[in-house]
Amino acid sequence: MLKVIPADAVGVVSVDVPNILEKSGMLSGSGDFTMPESLQAIVDENDESTFSKMLIDLPEMGVDHDCKVFSFYTLKTFGSVVLMGIDDEDAARKVIERRAGKDFADVDGLNCISVGDDFYALHDGIFFHATVNKPQEVSKLSAAARNMLARTSKSILDNSEVMECLNAENDVNAYMLLDGVKLLSKRSKTYKEMSEKFPLIDIFVESDIKAYVASANLNEDSAELEVKILADDNSEYVQLLSGTLGKPTADFLKSVPESMENIVSMSVKGEKFVELPQIATMIETFKKTPFIGRLDIESILKTIDGPVAMGMAKDPNLDDWNAVVTACSTTPDDVLNQLKAFAASMGQQPEIYDNEYIYEYDNKMVKLGNSNGSLYMKMLNYEQTEGYAYDNADAREFFSKSPMGIYVRAKDNKGGSIKFGLVDIRNLKGTFIPAQKGANAIVALLQVLCSIEPVREYEDGGTDELEDVMPVAIDELKPVN
């Protein structure tokens, strides 16, 4: 199947599906597929999700259980293509026609279906499923697919660097050029929302990184992910992060409530941090925003020397989030005084309790304080009685070593915990551990993936700009009565 993948593909992924299914206990030695009840329940609840559809269709597809599954990405006719070996084309045809809602037709010698952004074809024991980069006539889509399936053009086999990645003995191998990463990120609603909240993530997409080489191994007790970033020593990416990243420490967790299920942190040197294009743009936006311009946000950010972090958790009783933002500062008391003076200039006087300055915003208490050099702002819908995330030995060890990382803690014994972050500027590592002790990690991970809503194209103009939101936020800030 590798001969089908064109030499100019901007990304290639191989998945050892037979090995993964066998380790999960879902595939017997005779090739029978059995889904655990715990996973079946999740699939039934989320039967329209991409991964649920795959698991529903898998037993009926006539899949060749000895073959790996490949996917690749291009900037031409097809954006993404999945290739799967098929033992029984008649069985595969029935499943695809049921999903597509129409029958296969011969288009210039290729049995195929085109519906919406999806294009399906069956040819010579290969199932070919593509999404198109832009709407085109089915004859053009068929011609592009036939050219690949003919296996006569230059293929990815001619690229030794990519083949070294794909031939590695891992459950999943991936080689993505930066153009491939950009292609995927621009189509992702999740990425768009994340980049709006955490603009620094663009460093990994809008830069001069050459490529990403990734591998994953799924075992019964955990899933491990490693990513290598290929970038020259004199590249903008290496220069930016070398000068900007600070020494990691987990001390900021002492101001993050234990209930925060999602924690993101980046250790930075403030003087260099403000020079990053993403941060410079944010500062200019603040300066132009009414009222907020009174606060010297640039001088505050320059005092940071260590982690800038955010912890978040969905409120169990309200359709809202609880959150805390914290940053290690070289002059925490001075910055706190600046924030207090800014609030006073807006006519807001805080209530002081237990060395915290308490305001009210949007019917929620906002607490400002200094914990051993870590400035923090807590926005909670409840009175905090629990401890702090620093008591979590796993989170403490992770953030003490990773200068930039994300930690997602399992909730209510569902799914699992995920930690993923930089080891150094060229290497990232991640681990998934099931929430329930003794649970199969592969099955638990599939439960999480099957719960993800189907990806849909996002609409432009649906997100409020900072300039529009900030004046309202400032106007609603008032002291607790």
Side-chain angles (χ1 to χ4, degrees), residues 60-222:
E60 305 173 18
M61 276 285 289
V63 174
D64 183 347
H65 291 301
D66 294 326
C67 288
K68 291 183 179 181
V69 173
F70 294 92
S71 65
F72 63 91
Y73 307 88
T74 80
L75 302 177
K76 295 183 177 179
T77 304
F78 300 120
S80 64
V81 178
V82 174
L83 302 175
M84 186 183 300
I86 297 295
D87 274 339
D88 188 339
E89 287 196 11
D90 288 335
R93 179 177 286 102
K94 291 178 183 178
V95 172
I96 299 164
E97 289 178 344
R98 184 181 71 229
R99 280 291 178 199
K102 61 190 299 187
D103 294 339
F104 274 87
D106 186 301
V107 179
D108 300 326
L110 181 68
N111 277 319
C112 59
I113 297 175
S114 178
V115 53
D117 291 338
D118 294 296
F119 178 86
Y120 306 89
L122 287 168
H123 177 78
D124 196 21
I126 295 176
F127 168 52
F128 182 102
H129 176 205
T131 56
V132 300
N133 277 324
K134 62 180 180 180
Q136 295 195 46
E137 295 178 0
V138 67
S139 59
K140 293 184 178 179
L141 299 178
S142 175
R146 288 199 319 275
N147 182 55
M148 294 178 185
L149 290 166
R151 289 169 273 193
T152 55
S153 301
K154 290 190 68 174
S155 74
I156 208 72
L157 285 168
D158 299 314
N159 189 320
S160 59
E161 193 172 67
V162 176
M163 290 309 302
E164 181 181 357
C165 166
L166 298 181
N167 287 331
E169 294 185 3
N170 301 300
D171 291 327
V172 181
N173 291 307
Y175 186 100
M176 299 291 295
L177 292 173
L178 188 65
D179 283 342
V181 176
K182 288 181 179 180
L183 177 70
L184 295 177
S185 62
K186 287 179 180 179
R187 294 179 172 181
S188 170
K189 179 180 179 181
T190 300
Y191 178 82
K192 184 189 179 192
E193 292 175 346
M194 285 184 65
S195 63
E196 287 171 349
K197 293 180 175 66
F198 309 106
L200 280 175
I201 198 174
D202 280 344
I203 291 175
F204 298 98
V205 177
E206 302 298 333
S207 71
D208 54 357
I209 290 171
K210 176 187 175 183
Y212 292 87
V213 179
S215 64
N217 285 291
L218 284 63
N219 306 301
E220 291 186 11
D221 59 348
S222 66

Side-chain angles (χ1 to χ4, degrees), residues 311-343:
M312 299 180 67
K314 188 73 174 174
D315 193 289
N317 302 312
L318 302 170
D319 185 20
D320 196 6
W321 288 84
N322 292 305
V324 59
V325 178
T326 178
C328 291
S329 171
T330 54
T331 58
D333 291 332
D334 289 346
V335 173
L336 194 56
N337 287 333
Q338 283 189 60
L339 296 174
K340 287 159 48 185
F342 168 71

Side-chain angles (χ1 to χ4, degrees), residues 58 110 125 161 164 181 199 203 325 332 360 370 387-388 393 400 413 457:
L58 194 60
L110 181 68
E161 193 172 67
E164 181 181 357
V181 176
I203 291 175
V325 178
E360 183 179 309
N370 170 17
Y388 288 90
S400 68
N413 269 342
E457 291 292 330

